[in-house]
Amino acid sequence: MFSVLLLTFFILTSSFESSSGTLMVDRDVNGFRVFVNGLEILYHSNSEPMFHISQTEINFTERHGNFRINETIEAGPVPMNTFHLQEETLENDRVIWTATLSNADDTNGTIIFRFWQGDNINNLQIGLRFDVTLHVGDSQYNRIVMRIPSLLSEHFYGLGEQFTDFDLKGHKYTIWTREQGVGRNLSHPLTQIMELIDPGTGGDFDYTYWPQPTFVSSRRYFFALESSAYSIFNFENSSAVEISIQSAQATGYFVVDQISLMSLVRSVSQIFGRQPELPEWVSTGAILGVQGGTDKMLQYVSEAEKHNVALSAMWIQDWSGKITTTFGTRVFWNWQWNRDWYPRLDEVIAELRQLKNIRVLSYINPSLNVEGNLFADGDRFGYFLRKEDDLSETYVQDFGEFYCGTVDVWNSDAVAWYKNVIKRNLLELGFSGWMADFEEYTPITASTSNISVQLTGYERHNLLPMLWAKVNREAVEEAGLLNDVMFWTRSGAAGASGYTTMLWGGDQNVDWTFSDGLPSTITAAFSAAFSGMGLFHFDIGGFTTKEALNLINLTRSKELLLRSAEYAVFTPVMRTHEGNQPAANHQVYSEEDTWTKFARLTQIFRALGNYSRTAIRQNSIDGIPVMRPLFLQYETDPQSFGINYEYMYGDDLLVAPVLHIGQDHQRVYLPPDQWIFLWDNEKVVHFGPLNVTVPSPLGHTPVFYRNRSNWTDLFDDIRIKYSK
């Protein structure tokens, strides 16, 4: 309330001591406030200091990409409440403010906080830039805690890809890339059982492959911390966001856009770089994920054609061979064609494309099995990450009962070599895309041979996913195939959205839980959209299957498979996955009825092709996410802000996926507009805002289209042809 009153006072009196363009500073003997475009974004006083410092020790325990993090505060937190604020005008008339902050009772630490009106990033004006440095003298303080004022009514979105809560308010998040863990909820019985069976594999609500130290505020500003250091974003305090940075130095910026949240989200995508348009073939049908060799793949193609499945591609992640572990069958991480497992693959790829317009896709990640020849080739030249305490030795890591080296993405020769592996072994073979997996496992003790790279182990760990996306993108661009190839990643960091061509949600459980099952993919799509990543899809049916000690029977049902498939129709990519234990899961090819129902859904996906491509182009050109929460399009509607599991697919389709077992009706909220239920033959027009209950039999995801849409003829055709 005090912040609101102060802002009102500013509007009425304009009694600011200094301003530079849209950046304004108000100070008195007790503190100072910083405004951008009239919005208060920073505040410091003796009683509410902007910074604290502490000495914090962190212990990481890693098992197969699952990290447990334990923190111990050895000293502090110390409030840096005394300040001296100085204004300096440079030769180019730029005004830089420098705040020197300390604690009257502690002389061992000083914060130097500099801020100024920012330069452009990708032709976008930055409202405020800052850098902060901790000078500690002989002390051991190593953590900066920065406070950003907030309101009780304020909400926050983003932080990369989050799966449990779209609205970050009331929660605390670690910025640390890692496996999401089975269950992602330490209070859930499934996760607790996993912890008993295999300690460290359970996961909690903030575990994610793509953590990103950026967020969007409902007050219409965007905050970015330009650091890959380990950090914590705490939204639990209703009066301030607290950002803990495990570093003595950091930079960042604010973007303030008072036009709309949509305008702000577009700005975020402009900063990090927008995804290119997907190749046209992606929207012509489903991508069928299968394994087992050339003959098996062709058998699935034949069965799909027999059942009138609209196919765009076959995805064979086991193209390089297979190994067996207790987790399930795993791909042999040696990224070259296994001719014994997939004989005549080069010929088959060409034939499927030329004769049937079906592409073939594959799999790769940045690590190589020590038992493969490619590891031997790379290791000979020192192309893998090294041991931090002995740079002459390759860091070999356990990835789950097999051992690998990971390409050193800071070594330019190693990057060139790995890009050539992609170009020679994947693109020249004829693959039209691949899953670019992993990059979350790297220990902080794994280092680079490039001694010019001045990064800590924490920073290297968090930065690797962005550089892995960059390797894939450059390989595709150098081959001149960006318009024809789609690769999809699950891990990321700030900037990765400007390199990857598609995000997928990673390894959800084959269940209905909101923490780690089908519903969590909607949350992931929304948070990614607010972090610059406007293209998202997921494994149809989920991935993680577990059967253990008669305590867990986590296997995919037919209902889950088809419900997720009908929801995937209204996403940019419709791709199946057999899961980590294919034999335990219901598959699209398990029975005739599933084939038939799945085929109908793929035909709808294909029919929506032109509409989907328009939405994808809109994301590429204008930065408007393809899947977006209702309030992003209907910001003036207060009720839309509380709807977390419905979304707009493009401008004209409202989708409300069925997320519960055995549900045959669905209550749907319609924001202010005119809506027609896609499966209603009578074409009744519903005037929002309105809650309406509609039938939702299997295969009929509740979908509404805008009555005034330019695509009504297409939607009517789909209703007439596919209502039954």
Side-chain angles (χ1 to χ4, degrees):
M1 177 63 71
F2 180 70
S3 297
V4 175
L5 291 175
L6 183 79
L7 183 55
T8 303
F9 178 75
F10 153 65
I11 294 171
L12 293 175
T13 67
S14 299
S15 60
F16 282 81
E17 178 175 312
S18 180
S19 68
S20 176
T22 59
L23 173 62
M24 301 180 183
V25 179
D26 183 24
R27 63 177 172 181
D28 57 29
V29 294
N30 295 316
F32 61 91
R33 298 176 186 268
V34 180
F35 297 80
V36 174
N37 291 343
L39 182 72
E40 180 190 356
I41 58 173
L42 294 174
Y43 168 64
H44 172 83
S45 72
N46 293 336
S47 60
E48 297 183 65
M50 188 187 303
F51 290 100
H52 289 70
I53 63 173
S54 69
Q55 178 187 339
T56 305
E57 301 304 319
I58 310 174
N59 177 259
F60 291 90
T61 303
E62 184 270 338
R63 175 173 168 77
H64 304 161
N66 295 276
F67 285 82
R68 287 289 184 266
I69 305 172
N70 294 307
E71 296 188 3
T72 303
I73 298 178
E74 304 288 348
V78 177
M80 311 300 280
N81 45 17
T82 65
F83 80 99
H84 173 71
L85 185 63
Q86 181 179 350
E87 177 185 7
E88 179 183 4
T89 302
L90 305 183
E91 292 181 358
N92 59 1
D93 293 328
R94 166 170 288 176
V95 176
I96 293 184
W97 291 84
T98 301
T100 303
L101 305 106
S102 60
N103 181 271
D105 300 324
D106 192 329
T107 59
N108 290 325
T110 301
I111 289 283
I112 305 297
F113 179 65
R114 300 167 66 247
F115 58 95
W116 60 95
Q117 184 170 321
D119 294 324
N120 291 341
I121 300 180
N122 286 342
N123 296 317
L124 182 75
Q125 177 67 46
I126 302 302
L128 179 145
R129 269 196 173 277
F130 70 85
D131 61 53
V132 55
T133 305
L134 169 60
H135 298 278
V136 296
D138 295 329
S139 72
Q140 300 297 311
Y141 294 118
N142 59 358
R143 172 174 287 189
I144 300 170
V145 181
M146 179 179 181
R147 289 167 55 90
I148 300 172
S150 68
L151 303 178
L152 183 62
S153 60
E154 191 171 359
H155 299 275
F156 306 95
Y157 312 99
L159 287 191
E161 183 186 24
Q162 300 294 331
F163 293 87
T164 300
D165 296 291
F166 173 43
D167 186 351
L168 308 172
K169 192 179 183 72
H171 306 286
K172 183 166 63 175
Y173 297 84
T174 51
I175 302 301
W176 189 255
T177 184
R178 52 183 155 182
E179 282 274 8
Q180 66 175 21
V182 179
R184 297 189 66 260
N185 183 351
L186 291 177
S187 64
H188 193 279
L190 171 63
T191 307
Q192 293 171 348
I193 293 172
M194 285 302 305
E195 286 294 295
L196 289 173
I197 297 172
D198 194 0
T201 61
D204 208 357
F205 76 96
D206 66 332
Y207 287 27
T208 177
Y209 311 103
W210 189 323
Q212 182 170 306
T214 71
F215 66 83
V216 169
S217 163
S218 61
R219 289 199 294 139
R220 295 179 182 165
Y221 76 81
F222 172 68
F223 172 82
L225 181 65
E226 294 178 300
S227 173
S228 54
Y230 172 77
S231 57
I232 299 171
F233 281 64
N234 188 346
F235 301 92
E236 294 175 335
N237 189 332
S238 62
S239 63
V241 178
E242 296 181 350
I243 302 166
S244 300
I245 311 164
Q246 195 73 7
S247 176
Q249 188 172 6
T251 62
Y253 57 88
F254 291 81
V255 175
V256 177
D257 188 335
Q258 294 294 281
I259 299 173
S260 67
L261 284 172
M262 179 70 86
S263 179
L264 186 58
V265 166
R266 294 175 63 185
S267 296
V268 174
S269 70
Q270 184 174 338
I271 288 171
F272 292 123
R274 293 165 181 161
Q275 301 80 55
E277 291 185 47
L278 295 176
E280 186 172 338
W281 60 263
V282 174
S283 56
T284 62
I287 298 171
L288 201 61
V290 300
Q291 302 177 75
T294 305
D295 290 342
K296 197 71 174 175
M297 177 182 68
L298 291 175
Q299 176 186 333
Y300 289 127
V301 171
S302 178
E303 290 185 36
E305 291 181 324
K306 172 186 172 183
H307 292 91
N308 295 316
V309 173
L311 274 184
S312 65
M314 301 297 289
W315 173 48
I316 50 170
Q317 63 175 355
D318 62 338
W319 69 289
S320 58
K322 302 277 286 191
I323 62 172
T324 301
T325 71
T326 57
F327 187 70
T329 57
R330 301 287 297 273
V331 175
F332 180 41
W333 294 9
N334 188 58
W335 313 124
Q336 63 183 26
W337 170 23
N338 187 312
R339 295 171 183 262
D340 294 330
W341 193 238
Y342 276 92
R344 299 190 308 107
L345 181 59
D346 54 345
E347 299 173 9
V348 169
I349 290 173
E351 290 170 359
L352 286 176
R353 181 169 179 173
Q354 293 170 5
L355 301 178
K356 301 177 182 291
N357 199 27
I358 296 173
R359 307 298 182 105
V360 181
L361 315 177
S362 62
Y363 176 99
I364 190 173
N365 67 51
S367 302
L368 288 164
N369 194 311
V370 297
E371 298 182 5
N373 64 294
L374 285 179
F375 173 85
D377 292 344
D379 198 39
R380 187 181 308 117
F381 295 102
Y383 287 161
F384 300 111
L385 293 175
R386 325 302 291 170
K387 288 188 174 181
E388 189 174 51
D389 58 357
D390 184 1
L391 294 182
S392 66
E393 188 172 349
T394 297
Y395 199 113
V396 175
Q397 188 177 359
D398 180 6
F399 276 83
E401 301 170 37
F402 59 98
Y403 294 85
C404 298
T406 297
V407 65
D408 185 349
V409 292
W410 290 279
N411 180 328
S412 59
D413 291 336
V415 168
W417 172 70
Y418 220 67
K419 287 193 293 186
N420 282 331
V421 169
I422 293 174
K423 287 183 278 190
R424 181 178 60 252
N425 291 0
L426 281 75
L427 291 174
E428 290 182 10
L429 186 61
F431 289 130
S432 295
W434 53 84
M435 175 183 282
D437 205 358
F438 282 91
E439 267 306 16
E440 306 91 356
Y441 282 47
T442 311
I444 61 174
T445 53
S447 187
T448 172
S449 59
N450 185 348
I451 60 175
S452 68
V453 174
Q454 300 297 308
L455 296 171
T456 66
Y458 307 112
E459 293 168 326
R460 290 191 299 267
H461 171 89
N462 274 340
L463 192 59
L464 252 69
M466 185 274 286
L467 296 175
W468 170 231
K470 185 172 183 281
V471 168
N472 285 269
R473 177 65 171 269
E474 289 179 350
V476 173
E477 287 186 333
E478 289 169 12
L481 293 171
L482 185 60
N483 294 328
D484 195 60
V485 168
M486 178 188 71
F487 66 89
W488 59 101
T489 58
R490 72 175 186 181
S491 63
S497 56
Y499 291 115
T500 190
T501 60
M502 170 57 68
L503 172 64
W504 111 94
D507 299 344
Q508 280 74 52
N509 285 349
V510 291
D511 66 15
W512 306 82
T513 59
F514 279 69
S515 58
D516 194 20
L518 181 64
S520 69
T521 61
I522 299 178
T523 307
F526 288 175
S527 58
F530 277 71
S531 303
M533 187 68 219
L535 294 178
F536 175 87
H537 80 295
F538 60 94
D539 294 338
I540 291 177
F543 172 81
T544 301
T545 302
K546 279 287 184 180
E547 297 176 289
L549 303 179
N550 295 321
L551 295 173
I552 298 177
N553 182 25
L554 181 63
T555 57
R556 181 196 294 156
S557 67
K558 175 181 178 180
E559 182 183 5
L560 177 67
L561 176 68
L562 290 174
R563 282 299 191 191
S564 60
E566 68 184 42
Y567 152 33
V569 168
F570 302 95
T571 68
V573 175
M574 188 179 186
R575 178 182 57 81
T576 69
H577 198 312
E578 293 180 316
N580 63 301
Q581 296 184 27
N585 290 323
H586 195 88
Q587 308 288 355
V588 297
Y589 50 75
S590 292
E591 56 170 31
E592 287 290 313
D593 186 61
T594 305
W595 265 126
T596 300
K597 286 181 168 61
F598 179 73
R600 170 183 167 275
L601 296 173
T602 66
Q603 294 290 344
I604 299 172
F605 180 80
R606 174 176 285 181
L608 281 170
N610 288 336
Y611 176 81
S612 296
R613 284 192 288 272
T614 299
I616 291 167
R617 186 176 305 115
Q618 186 182 46
N619 174 72
S620 178
I621 296 173
D622 297 327
I624 298 177
V626 176
M627 297 171 63
R628 62 195 84 136
L630 302 188
F631 70 80
L632 199 58
Q633 190 154 322
Y634 296 94
E635 189 175 344
T636 59
D637 174 37
Q639 295 183 75
S640 292
F641 282 80
I643 307 299
N644 294 325
Y645 294 98
E646 299 177 18
Y647 64 92
M648 294 299 299
Y649 181 57
D651 290 338
D652 298 314
L653 288 178
L654 185 153
V655 186
V658 175
L659 303 175
H660 298 278
I661 300 173
Q663 183 173 320
D664 59 5
H665 282 77
Q666 177 103 317
R667 183 179 173 86
V668 180
Y669 173 72
L670 303 176
D673 215 324
Q674 297 180 24
W675 302 95
I676 297 176
F677 185 41
L678 182 61
W679 311 116
D680 180 9
N681 288 327
E682 297 181 4
K683 292 186 61 176
V684 174
V685 178
H686 302 272
F687 294 86
L690 176 71
N691 286 294
V692 60
T693 299
V694 294
S696 56
L698 195 63
H700 293 76
T701 300
V703 176
F704 288 78
Y705 63 88
R706 293 176 59 250
N707 185 35
R708 298 175 181 176
S709 169
N710 292 327
W711 299 89
T712 52
D713 288 346
L714 171 64
F715 303 147
D716 287 341
D717 287 344
I718 290 174
R719 184 186 66 255
I720 293 169
K721 190 171 183 179
Y722 299 105
S723 285
K724 294 183 179 180

